[in-house]
Each structure stands twice: as structure tokens, then as C-alpha cells.
Short mmCIF file of all heavy atoms in Angstrom, two decimals:
data_model
loop_
_atom_site.label_atom_id
_atom_site.label_comp_id
_atom_site.label_asym_id
_atom_site.label_seq_id
_atom_site.Cartn_x
_atom_site.Cartn_y
_atom_site.Cartn_z
N MET A 12 30.14 31.05 -53.61
CA MET A 12 29.30 32.13 -54.10
C MET A 12 28.19 31.52 -54.95
O MET A 12 28.37 30.50 -55.60
CB MET A 12 30.12 33.11 -54.93
CG MET A 12 29.26 34.23 -55.44
SD MET A 12 30.11 35.61 -56.22
CE MET A 12 31.23 36.12 -54.95
N ALA A 13 27.06 32.19 -54.96
CA ALA A 13 25.91 31.72 -55.73
C ALA A 13 25.50 32.81 -56.72
O ALA A 13 25.75 33.99 -56.51
CB ALA A 13 24.76 31.39 -54.80
N THR A 14 24.84 32.37 -57.79
CA THR A 14 24.30 33.30 -58.77
C THR A 14 22.79 33.34 -58.59
O THR A 14 22.14 32.29 -58.51
CB THR A 14 24.65 32.84 -60.20
OG1 THR A 14 26.07 32.75 -60.31
CG2 THR A 14 24.11 33.81 -61.23
N TYR A 15 22.25 34.53 -58.51
CA TYR A 15 20.81 34.73 -58.32
C TYR A 15 20.25 35.42 -59.56
O TYR A 15 20.94 36.18 -60.22
CB TYR A 15 20.55 35.60 -57.09
CG TYR A 15 20.97 34.95 -55.81
CD1 TYR A 15 22.28 35.03 -55.36
CD2 TYR A 15 20.05 34.26 -55.04
CE1 TYR A 15 22.67 34.42 -54.18
CE2 TYR A 15 20.43 33.65 -53.85
CZ TYR A 15 21.75 33.74 -53.43
OH TYR A 15 22.12 33.13 -52.26
N ARG A 16 18.99 35.13 -59.85
CA ARG A 16 18.33 35.84 -60.94
C ARG A 16 16.90 36.18 -60.54
O ARG A 16 16.23 35.43 -59.83
CB ARG A 16 18.36 35.03 -62.24
CG ARG A 16 17.58 33.75 -62.25
CD ARG A 16 17.76 33.04 -63.57
NE ARG A 16 16.97 31.82 -63.64
CZ ARG A 16 16.99 30.99 -64.65
NH1 ARG A 16 17.76 31.25 -65.69
NH2 ARG A 16 16.24 29.91 -64.65
N VAL A 17 16.47 37.35 -61.00
CA VAL A 17 15.12 37.84 -60.75
C VAL A 17 14.29 37.57 -61.99
O VAL A 17 14.71 37.88 -63.11
CB VAL A 17 15.13 39.35 -60.44
CG1 VAL A 17 13.71 39.87 -60.25
CG2 VAL A 17 15.97 39.63 -59.20
N ILE A 18 13.10 36.99 -61.79
CA ILE A 18 12.21 36.64 -62.90
C ILE A 18 10.89 37.39 -62.71
O ILE A 18 10.29 37.35 -61.63
CB ILE A 18 11.98 35.13 -62.94
CG1 ILE A 18 13.33 34.42 -63.10
CG2 ILE A 18 11.02 34.75 -64.06
CD1 ILE A 18 13.28 32.94 -62.93
N ASP A 19 10.47 38.07 -63.77
CA ASP A 19 9.22 38.84 -63.69
C ASP A 19 8.02 37.92 -63.85
O ASP A 19 8.16 36.73 -64.15
CB ASP A 19 9.21 40.00 -64.69
CG ASP A 19 9.10 39.57 -66.14
OD1 ASP A 19 8.81 38.39 -66.43
OD2 ASP A 19 9.31 40.44 -67.01
N PRO A 20 6.81 38.44 -63.65
CA PRO A 20 5.60 37.61 -63.73
C PRO A 20 5.39 36.95 -65.09
O PRO A 20 4.68 35.95 -65.18
CB PRO A 20 4.47 38.60 -63.42
CG PRO A 20 5.12 39.62 -62.55
CD PRO A 20 6.50 39.78 -63.13
N LYS A 21 5.99 37.49 -66.15
CA LYS A 21 5.86 36.87 -67.49
C LYS A 21 6.86 35.74 -67.69
O LYS A 21 6.80 35.04 -68.69
CB LYS A 21 6.05 37.93 -68.57
CG LYS A 21 4.95 38.98 -68.59
CD LYS A 21 5.15 39.95 -69.72
CE LYS A 21 6.10 41.02 -69.26
NZ LYS A 21 6.32 42.09 -70.23
N GLY A 22 7.79 35.56 -66.75
CA GLY A 22 8.78 34.50 -66.85
C GLY A 22 10.09 34.93 -67.48
O GLY A 22 10.96 34.11 -67.74
N ASP A 23 10.25 36.24 -67.68
CA ASP A 23 11.48 36.78 -68.26
C ASP A 23 12.50 37.08 -67.16
O ASP A 23 12.16 37.65 -66.12
CB ASP A 23 11.21 38.07 -69.03
CG ASP A 23 10.30 37.85 -70.22
OD1 ASP A 23 10.37 36.77 -70.84
OD2 ASP A 23 9.49 38.75 -70.52
N VAL A 24 13.76 36.70 -67.39
CA VAL A 24 14.83 37.04 -66.46
C VAL A 24 15.16 38.51 -66.66
O VAL A 24 15.49 38.94 -67.76
CB VAL A 24 16.08 36.17 -66.72
CG1 VAL A 24 17.23 36.60 -65.82
CG2 VAL A 24 15.76 34.69 -66.51
N VAL A 25 15.04 39.29 -65.59
CA VAL A 25 15.26 40.73 -65.69
C VAL A 25 16.59 41.17 -65.07
O VAL A 25 17.04 42.29 -65.32
CB VAL A 25 14.09 41.54 -65.09
CG1 VAL A 25 12.82 41.29 -65.87
CG2 VAL A 25 13.89 41.20 -63.63
N ALA A 26 17.21 40.32 -64.26
CA ALA A 26 18.50 40.66 -63.65
C ALA A 26 19.16 39.38 -63.15
O ALA A 26 18.49 38.44 -62.72
CB ALA A 26 18.30 41.63 -62.50
N THR A 27 20.49 39.36 -63.22
CA THR A 27 21.28 38.24 -62.73
C THR A 27 22.50 38.81 -62.03
O THR A 27 23.11 39.76 -62.52
CB THR A 27 21.73 37.33 -63.89
OG1 THR A 27 20.57 36.88 -64.60
CG2 THR A 27 22.49 36.12 -63.39
N LYS A 28 22.87 38.20 -60.88
CA LYS A 28 24.00 38.74 -60.13
C LYS A 28 24.61 37.66 -59.23
O LYS A 28 23.88 36.85 -58.65
CB LYS A 28 23.52 39.92 -59.28
CG LYS A 28 24.62 40.66 -58.56
CD LYS A 28 24.06 41.89 -57.88
CE LYS A 28 25.17 42.69 -57.23
NZ LYS A 28 24.66 43.90 -56.59
N ASP A 29 25.94 37.66 -59.10
CA ASP A 29 26.64 36.80 -58.15
C ASP A 29 26.63 37.50 -56.79
O ASP A 29 27.04 38.66 -56.69
CB ASP A 29 28.08 36.55 -58.59
CG ASP A 29 28.16 35.70 -59.85
OD1 ASP A 29 27.23 34.91 -60.09
OD2 ASP A 29 29.15 35.84 -60.58
N ILE A 30 26.19 36.78 -55.76
CA ILE A 30 26.05 37.38 -54.43
C ILE A 30 26.54 36.37 -53.39
O ILE A 30 26.27 35.17 -53.49
CB ILE A 30 24.58 37.78 -54.15
CG1 ILE A 30 24.10 38.75 -55.23
CG2 ILE A 30 24.45 38.40 -52.76
CD1 ILE A 30 22.63 39.11 -55.12
N GLU A 31 27.21 36.87 -52.36
CA GLU A 31 27.79 36.03 -51.32
C GLU A 31 26.76 35.43 -50.36
O GLU A 31 26.84 34.28 -50.00
CB GLU A 31 28.81 36.83 -50.50
CG GLU A 31 30.09 37.11 -51.24
CD GLU A 31 30.98 35.90 -51.39
OE1 GLU A 31 30.88 34.96 -50.58
OE2 GLU A 31 31.77 35.88 -52.35
N SER A 32 25.78 36.23 -49.90
CA SER A 32 24.87 35.73 -48.87
C SER A 32 23.41 35.80 -49.31
O SER A 32 23.03 36.65 -50.12
CB SER A 32 25.04 36.54 -47.58
OG SER A 32 24.40 37.79 -47.67
N ALA A 33 22.61 34.92 -48.73
CA ALA A 33 21.18 34.90 -49.04
C ALA A 33 20.50 36.18 -48.57
O ALA A 33 19.56 36.66 -49.22
CB ALA A 33 20.53 33.67 -48.41
N ASP A 34 20.95 36.74 -47.45
CA ASP A 34 20.36 37.99 -46.97
C ASP A 34 20.60 39.13 -47.96
O ASP A 34 19.69 39.91 -48.25
CB ASP A 34 20.93 38.38 -45.60
CG ASP A 34 20.43 37.48 -44.49
OD1 ASP A 34 19.34 36.90 -44.63
OD2 ASP A 34 21.14 37.36 -43.47
N ASP A 35 21.83 39.21 -48.48
CA ASP A 35 22.13 40.23 -49.49
C ASP A 35 21.33 39.99 -50.77
O ASP A 35 20.87 40.93 -51.41
CB ASP A 35 23.62 40.25 -49.82
CG ASP A 35 24.46 40.78 -48.67
OD1 ASP A 35 23.90 41.41 -47.74
OD2 ASP A 35 25.69 40.56 -48.69
N ALA A 36 21.15 38.72 -51.12
CA ALA A 36 20.38 38.38 -52.32
C ALA A 36 18.93 38.80 -52.16
O ALA A 36 18.32 39.32 -53.09
CB ALA A 36 20.48 36.89 -52.61
N HIS A 37 18.37 38.58 -50.99
CA HIS A 37 16.99 38.98 -50.75
C HIS A 37 16.83 40.49 -50.86
O HIS A 37 15.88 40.98 -51.48
CB HIS A 37 16.52 38.49 -49.38
CG HIS A 37 15.10 38.83 -49.10
ND1 HIS A 37 14.74 39.91 -48.34
CD2 HIS A 37 13.95 38.26 -49.53
CE1 HIS A 37 13.43 39.98 -48.29
NE2 HIS A 37 12.92 38.99 -49.00
N ALA A 38 17.76 41.24 -50.28
CA ALA A 38 17.71 42.71 -50.38
C ALA A 38 17.81 43.15 -51.84
O ALA A 38 17.10 44.05 -52.28
CB ALA A 38 18.83 43.32 -49.55
N TRP A 39 18.68 42.51 -52.60
CA TRP A 39 18.82 42.83 -54.03
C TRP A 39 17.53 42.53 -54.78
O TRP A 39 17.10 43.29 -55.63
CB TRP A 39 20.00 42.04 -54.61
CG TRP A 39 20.16 42.15 -56.08
CD1 TRP A 39 20.58 43.26 -56.78
CD2 TRP A 39 19.91 41.14 -57.05
NE1 TRP A 39 20.60 42.98 -58.13
CE2 TRP A 39 20.20 41.68 -58.32
CE3 TRP A 39 19.48 39.82 -56.97
CZ2 TRP A 39 20.06 40.95 -59.49
CZ3 TRP A 39 19.36 39.10 -58.14
CH2 TRP A 39 19.64 39.67 -59.37
N PHE A 40 16.89 41.41 -54.44
CA PHE A 40 15.62 41.03 -55.07
C PHE A 40 14.56 42.10 -54.82
O PHE A 40 13.88 42.54 -55.73
CB PHE A 40 15.16 39.68 -54.53
CG PHE A 40 13.80 39.27 -54.99
CD1 PHE A 40 13.57 38.93 -56.31
CD2 PHE A 40 12.74 39.20 -54.10
CE1 PHE A 40 12.30 38.53 -56.74
CE2 PHE A 40 11.48 38.80 -54.52
CZ PHE A 40 11.26 38.47 -55.84
N VAL A 41 14.44 42.54 -53.58
CA VAL A 41 13.45 43.56 -53.23
C VAL A 41 13.74 44.85 -54.00
O VAL A 41 12.83 45.48 -54.55
CB VAL A 41 13.44 43.80 -51.71
CG1 VAL A 41 12.60 45.02 -51.35
CG2 VAL A 41 12.93 42.57 -50.99
N ASP A 42 15.01 45.23 -54.09
CA ASP A 42 15.38 46.44 -54.84
C ASP A 42 15.12 46.27 -56.34
O ASP A 42 14.73 47.21 -57.02
CB ASP A 42 16.85 46.78 -54.64
CG ASP A 42 17.15 47.31 -53.24
OD1 ASP A 42 16.20 47.71 -52.54
OD2 ASP A 42 18.33 47.30 -52.87
N SER A 43 15.33 45.07 -56.87
CA SER A 43 15.17 44.82 -58.30
C SER A 43 13.72 44.94 -58.75
O SER A 43 13.44 45.29 -59.89
CB SER A 43 15.68 43.42 -58.66
OG SER A 43 17.06 43.35 -58.47
N LYS A 44 12.79 44.62 -57.87
CA LYS A 44 11.38 44.71 -58.25
C LYS A 44 10.67 45.86 -57.54
O LYS A 44 9.46 45.92 -57.49
CB LYS A 44 10.66 43.38 -57.97
CG LYS A 44 10.54 43.00 -56.52
CD LYS A 44 9.74 41.73 -56.39
CE LYS A 44 9.32 41.48 -54.97
NZ LYS A 44 8.28 42.36 -54.49
N ALA A 45 11.44 46.80 -57.03
CA ALA A 45 10.88 47.96 -56.35
C ALA A 45 9.92 48.71 -57.27
O ALA A 45 10.10 48.73 -58.49
CB ALA A 45 11.99 48.89 -55.89
N ASP A 46 8.93 49.31 -56.69
CA ASP A 46 7.91 50.08 -57.42
C ASP A 46 7.05 49.19 -58.31
O ASP A 46 6.45 49.67 -59.26
CB ASP A 46 8.55 51.19 -58.27
CG ASP A 46 9.32 52.18 -57.42
OD1 ASP A 46 8.93 52.36 -56.25
OD2 ASP A 46 10.29 52.75 -57.92
N ASN A 47 7.01 47.92 -58.04
CA ASN A 47 6.19 47.04 -58.85
C ASN A 47 5.36 46.16 -57.92
O ASN A 47 5.90 45.28 -57.26
CB ASN A 47 7.05 46.16 -59.76
CG ASN A 47 6.22 45.56 -60.87
OD1 ASN A 47 5.07 45.20 -60.67
ND2 ASN A 47 6.79 45.46 -62.03
N SER A 48 4.07 46.40 -57.87
CA SER A 48 3.19 45.66 -56.96
C SER A 48 2.59 44.42 -57.61
O SER A 48 1.80 43.73 -56.99
CB SER A 48 2.08 46.58 -56.46
OG SER A 48 1.32 47.05 -57.57
N GLU A 49 2.96 44.15 -58.85
CA GLU A 49 2.42 42.99 -59.57
C GLU A 49 2.87 41.68 -58.92
O GLU A 49 4.03 41.51 -58.58
CB GLU A 49 2.91 43.05 -61.02
CG GLU A 49 2.28 42.02 -61.93
CD GLU A 49 2.75 42.19 -63.37
OE1 GLU A 49 3.71 42.93 -63.61
OE2 GLU A 49 2.13 41.58 -64.23
N LEU A 50 1.93 40.75 -58.74
CA LEU A 50 2.26 39.45 -58.17
C LEU A 50 2.97 38.59 -59.20
O LEU A 50 2.84 38.78 -60.40
CB LEU A 50 0.97 38.75 -57.73
CG LEU A 50 0.20 39.42 -56.60
CD1 LEU A 50 -1.10 38.66 -56.34
CD2 LEU A 50 1.04 39.49 -55.34
N GLY A 51 3.72 37.62 -58.73
CA GLY A 51 4.35 36.66 -59.62
C GLY A 51 5.85 36.82 -59.78
O GLY A 51 6.50 36.03 -60.46
N TRP A 52 6.45 37.83 -59.16
CA TRP A 52 7.90 37.98 -59.20
C TRP A 52 8.53 36.85 -58.40
O TRP A 52 8.00 36.42 -57.39
CB TRP A 52 8.31 39.32 -58.58
CG TRP A 52 8.01 40.48 -59.46
CD1 TRP A 52 6.84 41.15 -59.54
CD2 TRP A 52 8.90 41.08 -60.39
NE1 TRP A 52 6.94 42.16 -60.47
CE2 TRP A 52 8.20 42.13 -61.01
CE3 TRP A 52 10.21 40.84 -60.78
CZ2 TRP A 52 8.78 42.94 -61.98
CZ3 TRP A 52 10.79 41.65 -61.74
CH2 TRP A 52 10.07 42.68 -62.33
N ARG A 53 9.68 36.37 -58.85
CA ARG A 53 10.36 35.32 -58.10
C ARG A 53 11.87 35.42 -58.30
O ARG A 53 12.34 36.11 -59.18
CB ARG A 53 9.85 33.94 -58.49
CG ARG A 53 10.05 33.58 -59.94
CD ARG A 53 9.30 32.28 -60.25
NE ARG A 53 9.56 31.81 -61.59
CZ ARG A 53 8.91 32.20 -62.68
NH1 ARG A 53 7.93 33.09 -62.56
NH2 ARG A 53 9.20 31.73 -63.86
N MET A 54 12.57 34.70 -57.45
CA MET A 54 14.02 34.67 -57.55
C MET A 54 14.47 33.22 -57.54
O MET A 54 13.90 32.39 -56.82
CB MET A 54 14.67 35.44 -56.40
CG MET A 54 16.17 35.52 -56.54
SD MET A 54 16.97 36.76 -55.50
CE MET A 54 16.53 36.26 -53.89
N GLU A 55 15.49 32.94 -58.33
CA GLU A 55 16.07 31.61 -58.38
C GLU A 55 17.56 31.73 -58.08
O GLU A 55 18.16 32.78 -58.27
CB GLU A 55 15.86 30.97 -59.75
CG GLU A 55 14.41 30.68 -60.05
CD GLU A 55 14.20 30.06 -61.42
OE1 GLU A 55 15.06 30.26 -62.32
OE2 GLU A 55 13.18 29.40 -61.60
N VAL A 56 18.13 30.62 -57.62
CA VAL A 56 19.54 30.60 -57.25
C VAL A 56 20.21 29.39 -57.90
O VAL A 56 19.61 28.33 -58.04
CB VAL A 56 19.71 30.57 -55.72
CG1 VAL A 56 19.06 29.34 -55.11
CG2 VAL A 56 21.18 30.66 -55.33
N ARG A 57 21.46 29.59 -58.28
CA ARG A 57 22.29 28.48 -58.78
C ARG A 57 23.61 28.56 -58.01
O ARG A 57 24.35 29.53 -58.10
CB ARG A 57 22.55 28.61 -60.28
CG ARG A 57 23.35 27.45 -60.83
CD ARG A 57 23.45 27.47 -62.32
NE ARG A 57 24.15 28.69 -62.74
CZ ARG A 57 24.15 29.15 -63.98
NH1 ARG A 57 23.48 28.54 -64.92
NH2 ARG A 57 24.82 30.24 -64.28
N VAL A 58 23.88 27.50 -57.25
CA VAL A 58 25.08 27.44 -56.43
C VAL A 58 26.25 27.04 -57.32
O VAL A 58 26.09 26.24 -58.24
CB VAL A 58 24.90 26.44 -55.27
CG1 VAL A 58 26.15 26.35 -54.42
CG2 VAL A 58 23.70 26.82 -54.42
N GLU A 59 27.41 27.60 -57.02
CA GLU A 59 28.61 27.30 -57.80
C GLU A 59 28.81 25.79 -57.93
O GLU A 59 28.71 25.05 -56.95
CB GLU A 59 29.83 27.92 -57.10
CG GLU A 59 31.09 27.84 -57.90
CD GLU A 59 32.22 28.60 -57.24
OE1 GLU A 59 31.96 29.53 -56.46
OE2 GLU A 59 33.36 28.24 -57.51
N GLY A 60 29.03 25.32 -59.14
CA GLY A 60 29.21 23.90 -59.40
C GLY A 60 27.94 23.17 -59.75
O GLY A 60 27.96 22.04 -60.21
N ASP A 61 26.80 23.80 -59.53
CA ASP A 61 25.51 23.20 -59.86
C ASP A 61 25.01 23.81 -61.18
O ASP A 61 25.22 24.99 -61.43
CB ASP A 61 24.50 23.50 -58.74
CG ASP A 61 23.23 22.68 -58.84
OD1 ASP A 61 23.09 21.90 -59.80
OD2 ASP A 61 22.37 22.82 -57.95
N HIS A 62 24.35 23.02 -62.00
CA HIS A 62 23.88 23.52 -63.28
C HIS A 62 22.40 23.86 -63.29
O HIS A 62 21.90 24.43 -64.25
CB HIS A 62 24.17 22.48 -64.38
CG HIS A 62 25.63 22.22 -64.55
ND1 HIS A 62 26.50 23.13 -65.11
CD2 HIS A 62 26.39 21.16 -64.20
CE1 HIS A 62 27.72 22.64 -65.11
NE2 HIS A 62 27.69 21.45 -64.55
N ASP A 63 21.70 23.52 -62.22
CA ASP A 63 20.25 23.74 -62.15
C ASP A 63 19.91 25.00 -61.35
O ASP A 63 20.54 25.29 -60.34
CB ASP A 63 19.55 22.55 -61.50
CG ASP A 63 19.70 21.27 -62.29
OD1 ASP A 63 19.69 21.35 -63.54
OD2 ASP A 63 19.85 20.20 -61.67
N TRP A 64 18.91 25.73 -61.82
CA TRP A 64 18.38 26.86 -61.07
C TRP A 64 17.35 26.34 -60.10
O TRP A 64 16.55 25.48 -60.42
CB TRP A 64 17.73 27.87 -62.02
CG TRP A 64 18.73 28.61 -62.83
CD1 TRP A 64 19.13 28.33 -64.10
CD2 TRP A 64 19.47 29.76 -62.42
NE1 TRP A 64 20.07 29.23 -64.51
CE2 TRP A 64 20.30 30.13 -63.51
CE3 TRP A 64 19.52 30.52 -61.26
CZ2 TRP A 64 21.17 31.23 -63.44
CZ3 TRP A 64 20.38 31.61 -61.20
CH2 TRP A 64 21.19 31.95 -62.28
N ARG A 65 17.34 26.87 -58.88
CA ARG A 65 16.39 26.45 -57.85
C ARG A 65 15.65 27.67 -57.31
O ARG A 65 16.21 28.76 -57.20
CB ARG A 65 17.12 25.76 -56.71
CG ARG A 65 17.97 24.59 -57.22
CD ARG A 65 18.37 23.67 -56.11
NE ARG A 65 19.32 22.68 -56.51
CZ ARG A 65 19.08 21.64 -57.29
NH1 ARG A 65 17.90 21.48 -57.80
NH2 ARG A 65 20.02 20.76 -57.58
N PHE A 66 14.40 27.46 -56.95
CA PHE A 66 13.58 28.52 -56.38
C PHE A 66 14.21 28.96 -55.06
O PHE A 66 14.61 28.15 -54.24
CB PHE A 66 12.16 28.00 -56.14
CG PHE A 66 11.26 28.99 -55.47
CD1 PHE A 66 10.84 30.13 -56.13
CD2 PHE A 66 10.84 28.78 -54.17
CE1 PHE A 66 10.00 31.05 -55.50
CE2 PHE A 66 10.01 29.69 -53.53
CZ PHE A 66 9.59 30.82 -54.21
N PHE A 67 14.29 30.25 -54.85
CA PHE A 67 14.84 30.84 -53.63
C PHE A 67 13.68 31.10 -52.69
O PHE A 67 12.80 31.90 -52.97
CB PHE A 67 15.55 32.15 -53.98
CG PHE A 67 16.19 32.81 -52.79
CD1 PHE A 67 17.46 32.43 -52.39
CD2 PHE A 67 15.55 33.83 -52.11
CE1 PHE A 67 18.06 33.07 -51.31
CE2 PHE A 67 16.14 34.46 -51.04
CZ PHE A 67 17.41 34.08 -50.64
N ASP A 68 13.65 30.38 -51.57
CA ASP A 68 12.54 30.48 -50.62
C ASP A 68 12.97 31.28 -49.40
O ASP A 68 13.95 30.93 -48.75
CB ASP A 68 12.11 29.07 -50.22
CG ASP A 68 10.91 29.05 -49.30
OD1 ASP A 68 10.35 30.12 -49.02
OD2 ASP A 68 10.54 27.96 -48.87
N ASP A 69 12.23 32.30 -49.09
CA ASP A 69 12.54 33.13 -47.93
C ASP A 69 11.39 33.09 -46.91
O ASP A 69 11.21 34.02 -46.16
CB ASP A 69 12.82 34.56 -48.37
CG ASP A 69 13.36 35.40 -47.22
OD1 ASP A 69 14.24 34.89 -46.49
OD2 ASP A 69 12.91 36.54 -47.06
N THR A 70 10.61 32.04 -46.91
CA THR A 70 9.46 31.97 -46.00
C THR A 70 9.84 31.48 -44.63
O THR A 70 9.05 31.54 -43.70
CB THR A 70 8.38 31.03 -46.56
OG1 THR A 70 8.94 29.73 -46.69
CG2 THR A 70 7.86 31.52 -47.90
N GLU A 71 11.04 30.94 -44.48
CA GLU A 71 11.52 30.40 -43.21
C GLU A 71 10.59 29.32 -42.67
O GLU A 71 10.44 29.17 -41.47
CB GLU A 71 11.72 31.52 -42.19
CG GLU A 71 12.77 32.52 -42.62
CD GLU A 71 12.97 33.63 -41.61
OE1 GLU A 71 12.43 33.57 -40.49
OE2 GLU A 71 13.69 34.57 -41.95
N GLY A 72 9.94 28.60 -43.55
CA GLY A 72 9.12 27.48 -43.15
C GLY A 72 7.74 27.83 -42.63
O GLY A 72 7.03 26.96 -42.16
N THR A 73 7.34 29.08 -42.67
CA THR A 73 6.02 29.45 -42.19
C THR A 73 4.98 29.19 -43.27
O THR A 73 5.28 29.18 -44.45
CB THR A 73 5.96 30.93 -41.77
OG1 THR A 73 6.26 31.72 -42.92
CG2 THR A 73 6.91 31.23 -40.66
N SER A 74 3.75 28.97 -42.84
CA SER A 74 2.70 28.72 -43.84
C SER A 74 1.57 29.69 -43.69
O SER A 74 1.49 30.47 -42.79
CB SER A 74 2.19 27.29 -43.74
OG SER A 74 1.88 26.97 -42.42
#
């Protein structure tokens, strides 16, 4: 299981949650920032046993 957190454009953590799958985490991220069109929202993930937060990328390698 991994822990995900949503970070607003100011850099404040606004929500944190343990989630089983990346797909579920992405849906939670979209719901967490719903009704907010401001750019700069991001999500980070920390995998169980790891102490570092990492950027959660959902671009599937497209540019």
C-alpha cells in the first residue's frame, strides 16, 4: 500500500490518504481538487517502507 498526498499551488498539503492502486489515487486526486481550476496542484506518493515523497506522474510518458 502507498500513501498519497495532495498539495495545493501554495505548497500546502491539503489531504493525505493510504490507497491500494494508482488508478484509485488518481481519482481521489481529481476529487480532492474538484471545483478548483487553479494551476499548480500536484500529488506525491510514498511507498510503504520508503521515507521519501515522490512526484506522482500520470502522463504515461507523453509529451
Side-chain angles (χ1 to χ4, degrees):
M12 180 171 304
T14 302
Y15 295 84
R16 66 183 182 182
V17 177
I18 301 171
D19 70 12
K21 294 183 275 184
D23 297 326
V24 176
V25 296
T27 303
K28 186 174 184 179
D29 292 333
I30 302 175
E31 287 287 335
S32 77
D34 288 335
D35 290 344
H37 182 261
W39 173 71
F40 173 69
V41 171
D42 289 343
S43 294
K44 66 177 194 72
D46 299 331
N47 197 323
S48 60
E49 188 176 13
L50 296 176
W52 285 86
R53 61 189 185 275
M54 185 164 60
E55 294 179 336
V56 60
R57 183 173 62 195
V58 180
E59 188 174 336
D61 193 357
H62 298 288
D63 296 324
W64 288 97
R65 305 197 189 288
F66 176 69
F67 182 85
D68 184 4
D69 189 44
T70 60
E71 298 180 8
T73 61
S74 49

